[in-house]
Amino acid sequence: MDDETAEIELLEQNLNKTRQISQRMTSILSSFDTRLVKLEKSILPLYNSTQVLTRRANNIESALQKIDEIASYHEGVAAEEALILRGPQPNQLSAYTEVLERMNVSVAFNSTDSRDKARLVESGAKKLIQLYTKLVAEGSSGVPPGGSEFTSVPFPASLMTTLRPLVTFLRTLPLPATHPSHPAAAGIQSALKDAQKGYGDMRGAWVRKCLETFGKRVVDRAETIDGVAAGKEVGKWTENMLAVADEEYNLLLELAPLATPAAISTTYATLISPLTNLFTSTLGSLGSLIKRNLNKNTFLALSAYSSLTSLQPRWNEIMSRRADRKENELKEGLHSIRASCLRSFPEFLADIRMAGLGKGGELGTGIADFTISTVQYLERMPAVQDAAASALLTLGDGNWKMGEGTQIGKTKTTEVDEQTVLEHFTYDVVNATVASLLALSRMNKRPAFGAIFLLNNISYLRTQLLVRPRTDIPSILSRPSQELLNSNFRTAKAGYFDANFSPLLQTLIDEKDKGKSAVKEKFTRFFDLLDEVTERHSMARVLQDDPEGRATVADEAVKLVVPSLQRFIQRNLGKEFSKNPQKYIKMSPEDVESLIKGFYSGGSSSGAPTVPAPEKLTNTLLQQAGWGW
């Protein structure tokens, strides 16, 4: 208990000491608080004065900074204004466009001097547009390409390097549609429209200049080269025009400052206007050439019609739809050419029939001009088969036989296809040619010459069209046409043998009067007639340019005459009709055979038949013999 009491007393002493210490600390802190209050009262006026001075210093600094900015701004505006008014300089296009872009942004944010800046933006934009027009003019000038083959001239790559960034910036300029409140938008749009129209005019004039020379060349050559080839050249030239127009359209899409669909269509229509005018005038010249001599230029018309018809879909796309045009110059030109094609068929048949009436001049026994023309006509037909068949189908099956009592328009085109109507036409051509040849052969007063004429012409016709055609003629000849040629060839050959060798055979026929004088008369008559045949064949050559045909006719003539002569000699030699038989039997059968084969020797040795050259001496002798028309 005593220990515990002692501890309690010790604790109470410590507690009293702690209380005394706390009181002293409280007294000290109270004194610090009083002093701090006095210090705050002393410092506060000084602090307030210092804050006012700091604010004044900041205001002065801000004012000075603003003054420097305004001075610098006015100096920059003056420099930029001078740069814009001077215009874009070489190799400084990016700097020029950056200045314009900054001014344009300033105008867009309605700065205090926005109207002045808008005028500068408009002025700078117009100077850039002038540069654009200048570069386009440089790329659309020079000497057009020459030579026999057309080659397009691409826009110079050196100019494209400058034009591409320039066009990109021009497309960002303010326009009424995108910046309705911009003061310069209307003026800039007007300048861009004028520049784009100028682009169309310049590029159109340039591409016309490039194509015009070749268009004139096509027209000039059409009178001197083969019609089929000339028609293909017309198609090739038109194809080149479409290719150039397509290239120009793609270039326009890249270089047009106003890239809206409506603006592109309008500019493209302006650009291709010189091309369509050139095409119309060139096709008009070809049409006049065709109409001036339709017989000569029939295949020019057919070939051109075929070549141009295949280009109609491309023309519709490139020259009409893209330019939003209703005009279609190619379609109109095709109508004109097709009208000439439709006229050519009945006129060609009429010329063949007219040839069969005779012209009163020398004819000879060679190949008639209209026979050669018919062969040449049919030889060219496969090259323009599609165009010819289409035109004939439009004309109507059989409607080409005008003047022959045919009821025009009675046959429906749906009843036949193109191949059939073409075969019908070629049949009528062959039939009319054969009929005219038959009529001419009958006009001669001496049928033997007429028979040679008919055989030569029918054989030439058959050889060139069926036996050894130089083109794919059999594909357009129907079976009736082929049978017509074969049957008339057989008839012509039989007529030739009948007119030239039947009189010889008739003299060798045994008669009731078998006296010596009759036998002598027969031998005399036979060799006299043989002399006439020999003389006739020395004047009129048979199948001159057909070695195989001549050999066949020679064998048949020998088989026709020589065996009959041998039998007649054998029957009468034993009867001693004369003391000197050699006086009447002037030639042995072997000699007669050699003589007859000699009728068919000579001629062209080349494998390909050629048109016989006129023989003036032969024609003169034939005329004296009464052969003329």
Side-chain angles (χ1 to χ4, degrees):
M1 290 295 290
D2 291 335
D3 293 335
E4 292 177 357
T5 302
E7 289 179 2
I8 291 170
E9 288 178 356
L10 181 61
L11 287 172
E12 286 178 352
Q13 289 175 3
N14 290 335
L15 181 61
N16 289 329
K17 289 179 181 179
T18 303
R19 185 178 298 111
Q20 291 174 0
I21 293 170
S22 297
Q23 289 176 353
R24 286 197 297 270
M25 288 295 297
T26 302
S27 175
I28 292 170
L29 290 173
S30 298
S31 175
F32 279 152
D33 187 53
T34 301
R35 292 178 181 180
L36 285 173
V37 170
K38 290 180 181 180
L39 179 61
E40 184 179 0
K41 289 180 180 179
S42 300
I43 294 175
L44 182 60
L46 180 62
Y47 173 76
N48 291 336
S49 299
T50 304
Q51 192 175 28
V52 171
L53 291 175
T54 302
R55 187 165 55 250
R56 287 176 181 175
N58 290 337
N59 290 340
I60 292 171
E61 184 69 23
S62 297
L64 291 174
Q65 204 171 34
K66 198 68 176 178
I67 290 171
D68 290 339
E69 287 179 3
I70 292 172
S72 175
Y73 172 76
H74 282 290
E75 290 177 2
V77 168
E80 290 178 347
E81 183 177 353
L83 177 64
I84 291 173
L85 294 177
R86 189 167 63 247
Q89 300 299 311
N91 302 323
Q92 293 183 354
L93 181 61
S94 60
Y96 193 86
T97 56
E98 286 174 3
V99 171
L100 277 181
E101 190 172 1
R102 284 198 300 271
M103 286 197 172
N104 197 34
V105 171
S106 178
V107 173
F109 282 98
N110 295 318
S111 62
T112 55
D113 56 349
S114 60
R115 291 196 172 274
D116 293 335
K117 290 183 177 180
R119 284 194 293 270
L120 283 175
V121 170
E122 183 176 351
S123 177
K126 288 181 177 179
K127 289 186 178 297
L128 286 176
I129 292 169
Q130 290 174 359
L131 175 63
Y132 170 83
T133 302
K134 177 185 175 183
L135 293 174
V136 172
E138 288 180 13
S140 306
S141 60
V143 180
S148 58
E149 295 293 332
F150 174 79
T151 53
S152 62
V153 181
F155 201 90
S158 58
L159 297 179
M160 288 294 293
T161 304
T162 306
L163 272 172
R164 285 194 180 100
L166 176 58
V167 171
T168 300
F169 179 77
L170 291 178
R171 289 179 177 178
T172 64
L173 290 174
L175 301 175
T178 57
H179 298 75
S181 61
H182 198 292
I188 292 174
Q189 184 179 49
S190 176
L192 287 175
K193 284 183 177 180
D194 291 341
Q196 193 147 315
K197 184 178 183 302
Y199 175 94
D201 291 334
M202 288 185 287
R203 293 305 298 171
W206 168 246
V207 293
R208 173 178 176 138
K209 185 178 179 181
C210 293
L211 285 163
E212 191 169 17
T213 303
F214 294 92
K216 291 179 180 178
R217 183 174 182 271
V218 167
V219 176
D220 294 340
R221 282 171 55 83
E223 296 187 83
T224 58
I225 65 174
D226 176 69
V228 175
K232 290 180 179 178
E233 286 192 1
V234 174
K236 182 63 176 177
W237 178 76
T238 306
E239 189 175 0
N240 289 334
M241 177 179 290
L242 292 175
V244 168
D246 190 42
E247 291 175 2
E248 287 298 322
Y249 181 76
N250 294 328
L251 186 64
L252 176 63
L253 292 177
E254 187 176 1
L255 297 183
L258 298 173
T260 61
I264 292 292
S265 296
T266 302
T267 307
Y268 184 61
T270 302
L271 190 153
I272 64 173
S273 180
L275 293 183
T276 56
N277 292 337
L278 174 62
F279 178 80
T280 300
S281 63
T282 302
L283 213 60
S285 300
L286 285 171
S288 300
L289 175 64
I290 292 169
K291 293 175 182 177
R292 191 160 59 244
N293 191 343
L294 183 57
N295 289 341
K296 175 184 176 183
N297 297 312
T298 295
F299 285 91
L300 168 60
L302 288 170
S303 180
Y305 182 75
S306 176
S307 300
L308 294 177
T309 300
S310 64
L311 298 175
Q312 184 68 73
R314 287 189 63 196
W315 183 282
N316 294 341
E317 170 65 21
I318 296 174
M319 306 298 276
S320 295
R321 191 192 65 79
R322 288 180 180 176
D324 196 20
R325 299 169 64 248
K326 294 181 179 179
E327 298 84 3
N328 196 315
E329 293 77 9
L330 178 57
K331 187 176 181 180
E332 295 172 1
L334 283 173
H335 282 317
S336 176
I337 295 177
R338 186 176 68 172
S340 298
C341 294
L342 296 181
R343 272 184 48 212
S344 69
F345 302 120
E347 289 190 11
F348 181 69
L349 281 172
D351 289 342
I352 294 176
R353 292 194 296 269
M354 185 66 67
L357 301 178
K359 299 179 182 179
E362 295 183 5
L363 179 65
T365 57
I367 310 301
D369 290 340
F370 73 91
T371 305
I372 298 171
S373 299
T374 299
V375 169
Q376 292 174 344
Y377 186 91
L378 294 176
E379 281 180 340
R380 295 177 179 180
M381 187 65 72
V384 292
Q385 181 173 345
D386 293 340
S390 175
L392 287 167
L393 199 61
T394 302
L395 183 62
D397 189 17
N399 290 349
W400 50 79
K401 296 187 289 187
M402 297 179 182
E404 293 186 353
T406 305
Q407 295 184 1
I408 305 302
K410 190 172 182 179
T411 304
K412 297 181 180 179
T413 56
T414 55
E415 296 177 359
V416 294
D417 56 18
E418 291 185 352
Q419 178 65 24
T420 303
V421 76
L422 184 60
E423 289 178 355
H424 289 177
F425 174 70
T426 54
Y427 175 84
D428 288 335
V429 169
V430 172
N431 189 41
T433 305
V434 170
S436 294
L437 290 172
L438 287 170
L440 288 175
S441 67
R442 293 166 183 161
M443 290 182 182
N444 195 301
K445 297 177 181 178
R446 300 181 65 178
F449 286 104
I452 295 174
F453 166 79
L454 184 62
L455 176 61
N456 283 340
N457 280 268
I458 295 293
S459 175
Y460 179 79
L461 200 63
R462 175 177 172 270
T463 300
Q464 298 286 50
L465 301 184
L466 290 183
V467 181
R468 290 188 295 274
R470 287 176 287 194
T471 62
D472 191 20
I473 302 177
S475 66
I476 61 173
L477 292 178
S478 62
R479 183 172 294 277
S481 299
Q482 298 179 24
E483 292 175 352
L484 178 67
L485 286 169
N486 289 326
S487 64
N488 276 277
F489 174 69
R490 291 191 295 269
T491 303
K493 188 161 62 172
Y496 163 74
F497 287 133
D498 183 64
N500 286 276
F501 296 105
S502 290
L504 290 174
L505 300 178
Q506 290 174 0
T507 61
L508 302 179
I509 298 175
D510 290 331
E511 299 177 357
K512 293 181 180 179
D513 184 6
K514 297 182 181 180
K516 295 180 180 180
S517 60
V519 175
K520 294 177 182 178
E521 179 63 26
K522 285 182 178 292
F523 276 118
T524 301
R525 179 62 177 162
F526 175 84
F527 286 105
D528 288 344
L529 290 174
L530 184 61
D531 290 340
E532 291 181 10
V533 173
T534 303
E535 182 180 2
R536 186 183 306 135
H537 281 78
S538 67
M539 293 187 294
R541 308 300 297 175
V542 177
L543 307 182
Q544 184 173 357
D545 295 281
D546 185 4
E548 295 180 7
R550 284 201 310 274
T552 301
V553 171
D555 290 341
E556 293 178 359
V558 168
K559 292 177 182 178
L560 185 66
V561 175
V562 173
S564 298
L565 177 61
Q566 288 175 334
R567 288 193 296 272
F568 188 77
I569 292 175
Q570 290 173 358
R571 286 197 301 269
N572 292 284
L573 274 180
K575 298 178 182 179
E576 297 183 357
F577 64 91
S578 173
K579 294 180 180 180
N580 186 14
Q582 288 77 14
K583 179 180 179 181
Y584 300 97
I585 306 176
K586 299 179 181 180
M587 300 174 67
S588 66
E590 291 76 14
D591 293 336
V592 171
E593 178 178 350
S594 299
L595 179 63
I596 291 176
K597 288 183 177 180
F599 297 165
Y600 309 99
S601 62
S604 174
S605 59
S606 62
T610 57
V611 179
E615 299 174 355
K616 295 182 179 180
L617 178 60
T618 300
N619 288 336
T620 302
L621 294 172
L622 291 174
Q623 189 178 22
Q624 293 174 355
W627 177 250
W629 61 311

